[in-house]
Amino acid sequence: MTPSRRQTARRRTTVLRRRAVLATVPVAVAALLGAAAPTAPGTAGAPGAGDPYFPLSGNGGYHVGHYDLTLRYDTATRHLDGRAVLTARATQRLSRFDLDLTGLKVTAVTVDRTPAAFRRDGQELVVTPRRTLPAGHAFEIAVGYQGTPQPVTDPDGSRDGWIPTDDGAFVAGEPQGAMTWFPANAHPRDKSSYDFTLTVPQGRTAVANGELLSQRTAHGRTTFHWREPRPMAAYLATATIGTFQVQRSTTPDGIRIYNAVDPREASSAAPVLKKLPSVLAWESKLFGPYPYRSAGAIVDHAPDVGYALETQTRPVYDAAPDLATLVHESAHQWFGDSVSLTAWKDIWLNEGFATYAEWLYAEQHGGDSAQKTFDALYASPAGDALWAYPPGDPGSGKNLFGTPVYARGAMALHELRGAVGDGPFFRILRAWAAEHRDGHGTTAQFTRLAQRVSGKRLDGLFHTWLYTKGKPNTA
Ligand code: ARG
Ligand code: ZN
């Protein structure tokens, strides 16, 4: 969770289109043509969702309601065979649209079961359907693809996406790795339900999000069918594969737990995983009902990954987690998974909240009080990395997972709690989770909610703790 900060160069692609048309038609006529519905040529969907940190993540012009992913992975050769069927809706009259996909070879694309033209352009898979799609049109995109998936290297030097391990793959896509294993509208603004049909060599287990609907072995291969029915951001999808011990149980609240644990991590993981039901029950008391019907953990042995991810319903850990990490990834199910970002700049809404959950857990389970944790951090000198940038404005994708986002983000919440008192503070957290459940939330919406629930003016506090450069004064 404290990744290194090596900057990597990102190749930018610029898409300039319709020049030829505009150049040959007088401007006024072109404007008229653009406005005339029956003959309108339709426009290309944008190659990105408009996020300044990751300009090419996500795409414009359509929304994906459902992904149906059928993947076969050979753990020995690391070859992936994939078919993705996306159910989508055009949000504009659409002549052409992009999906995010990097590496891999695309073998066929159809739109509404009719072959469509496609080309690759960096991380964009550019699809031109045979006919322009009317605005509001519900359509189906099918993509056949194959190859050896490779992770992406993030601006902070960490890797994400499909990360091969010695017995399978650790699959975690924050912030941009979904495109390494399936064609997607890969920005958290677009949330969708998912089906995963994963075929792996017999003896290996493939674990995705949500519920396991079936598992069948034939001819030396096992196929796992998983379904996540609740809206999910693409970066929270997983299809982690390995040699796993599986434990299933149901909590007193009726949440179905499926844990998959690499045997090399089993003895250290066991005492922590035993606490998952009580951690979820404790968090449900604090944050409101657990947002999903399933839960669990994927404890892999992936020594070169260096982090865990809150993959929806079932976080994936690179090694046996400690209790604080389990609490952290579980808290993300409310903050980050159910309530999603609309822009990566708002990452403190995920990491500050999950970190503050760790502090609260310690406070209520015989550890340090949140105040003590706050004070110890506040004692850091002004030149410390903690104060390197404000959590509400990390400045670029390379700062997403740095200490200011996690620790100073949690400090901001602790200051809020101090200003409004415990009753209103926990009402704010619960209202946030309830009002934005299965949806999205922005920092501005959070600060407005905090003022509404507490009846206090809090702009000074948020300005200081979220947006002011350097070490804040606590006067
Ligand atoms: N959200 C994860 C956590 O808080 C961290 C993911 C880090 N991802 C990365 N590519 N560095 O545990
Ligand atoms: Zn986190």
Side-chain angles (χ1 to χ4, degrees):
M1 285 197 291
T2 33
S4 64
R5 305 221 187 97
R6 266 171 295 128
Q7 171 85 58
T8 56
R10 281 177 61 78
R11 201 161 57 84
R12 291 277 302 276
T13 46
T14 313
V15 187
L16 277 177
R17 291 285 293 161
R18 296 181 63 209
R19 263 275 190 74
V21 178
L22 291 175
T24 55
V25 181
V27 176
V29 178
L32 278 174
L33 281 176
T39 52
T43 52
D51 195 308
Y53 289 9
F54 297 95
L56 293 177
S57 288
N59 303 284
Y62 65 97
H63 157 71
V64 180
H66 186 74
Y67 291 85
D68 188 351
L69 306 178
T70 305
L71 309 179
R72 172 189 284 244
Y73 190 61
D74 185 330
T75 48
T77 64
R78 300 186 168 180
H79 184 86
L80 177 75
D81 254 305
R83 180 176 150 82
V85 180
L86 284 57
T87 311
R89 186 175 292 277
T91 54
Q92 65 185 56
R93 187 170 159 82
L94 203 54
S95 59
R96 194 185 78 210
F97 60 86
D98 287 12
L99 292 159
D100 301 313
L101 185 70
T102 182
L104 305 165
K105 180 179 163 52
V106 174
T107 51
V109 178
T110 64
V111 171
D112 288 337
R113 315 219 167 158
T114 304
F118 64 90
R119 64 183 166 83
R120 308 294 295 274
D121 182 1
Q123 71 177 61
E124 304 300 304
L125 167 61
V126 183
V127 178
T128 308
R130 182 147 322 154
R131 281 210 182 86
T132 289
L133 308 169
H137 180 65
F139 64 109
E140 184 197 276
I141 312 158
V143 180
Y145 58 102
Q146 53 166 275
T148 309
Q150 308 279 355
V152 283
T153 300
D154 295 321
D156 66 1
S158 61
R159 294 181 311 153
D160 81 298
W162 190 280
I163 307 175
T165 57
D166 60 1
D167 60 355
F170 177 99
V171 182
E174 191 184 27
Q176 46 169 354
M179 63 181 176
T180 68
W181 61 284
F182 65 99
N185 191 5
H187 189 277
R189 272 170 178 274
D190 205 43
K191 296 173 74 165
S192 323
S193 54
Y194 284 73
D195 272 85
F196 305 85
T197 306
L198 309 173
T199 301
V200 293
Q202 183 173 0
R204 305 294 155 97
T205 300
V207 192
N209 315 83
E211 313 264 325
L212 179 62
L213 299 185
S214 70
Q215 171 178 341
R216 278 195 194 91
T217 299
H219 313 296
R221 293 178 185 278
T222 306
T223 299
F224 298 83
H225 181 184
W226 293 90
R227 174 172 295 160
E228 173 49 63
R230 315 296 320 168
M232 176 165 79
Y235 81 89
L236 295 170
T238 190
T240 293
I241 297 163
T243 305
F244 294 134
Q245 298 170 354
V246 170
Q247 314 147 353
R248 308 173 75 153
S249 59
T250 303
T251 71
D253 292 341
I255 301 164
R256 298 231 281 271
I257 297 203
Y258 182 107
N259 292 333
V261 181
D262 187 301
R264 292 167 286 187
E265 302 292 336
S267 61
S268 351
V272 179
L273 292 187
K274 232 176 48 203
K275 299 214 156 133
L276 179 58
S278 68
V279 166
L280 293 176
W282 174 80
E283 290 182 341
S284 304
K285 232 175 41 221
L286 237 49
F287 309 145
Y290 178 70
Y292 307 113
R293 301 224 17 221
S294 352
I298 308 166
V299 181
D300 205 345
H301 179 78
D304 51 353
V305 169
Y307 61 82
L309 181 66
E310 61 269 23
T311 37
Q312 190 158 308
T313 68
R314 192 163 294 108
V316 60
Y317 301 90
D318 59 331
D322 57 18
L323 185 54
T325 305
L326 187 90
V327 168
H328 179 108
E329 306 308 339
S330 299
H332 274 309
Q333 302 305 311
W334 285 259
F335 308 116
D337 292 12
S338 176
V339 184
S340 293
L341 305 176
T342 59
W344 286 109
K345 178 184 197 271
D346 280 341
I347 186 71
W348 84 280
L349 290 173
N350 293 7
E351 303 306 346
F353 283 53
T355 302
Y356 199 60
E358 295 177 52
W359 299 11
L360 291 168
Y361 190 88
E363 174 172 284
Q364 297 188 20
H365 293 83
D368 287 346
S369 67
Q371 186 62 44
K372 189 168 174 200
T373 308
F374 178 98
D375 292 343
L377 283 164
Y378 193 72
S380 311
D384 195 90
L386 172 61
W387 316 116
Y389 51 88
D393 190 9
S396 91
K398 79 175 191 315
N399 288 336
L400 284 184
F401 305 110
T403 320
V405 167
Y406 284 68
R408 183 169 160 186
M411 293 174 88
L413 287 176
H414 188 72
E415 284 289 293
L416 171 64
R417 179 182 169 193
V420 303
D422 276 13
F425 177 72
F426 289 106
R427 279 202 295 283
I428 291 166
L429 293 189
R430 278 193 291 274
W432 182 243
E435 292 176 16
H436 299 270
R437 184 171 178 173
D438 282 337
H440 295 90
T442 65
T443 299
Q445 288 171 328
F446 180 74
T447 58
R448 275 203 300 274
L449 171 73
Q451 311 210 52
R452 190 185 85 215
V453 173
S454 69
K456 290 213 156 91
R457 278 205 67 162
L458 298 164
D459 30 356
L461 183 153
F462 286 120
H463 180 77
T464 300
W465 281 91
L466 294 179
Y467 296 115
T468 306
K469 288 196 178 133
K471 181 174 175 174
N473 282 320
T474 44

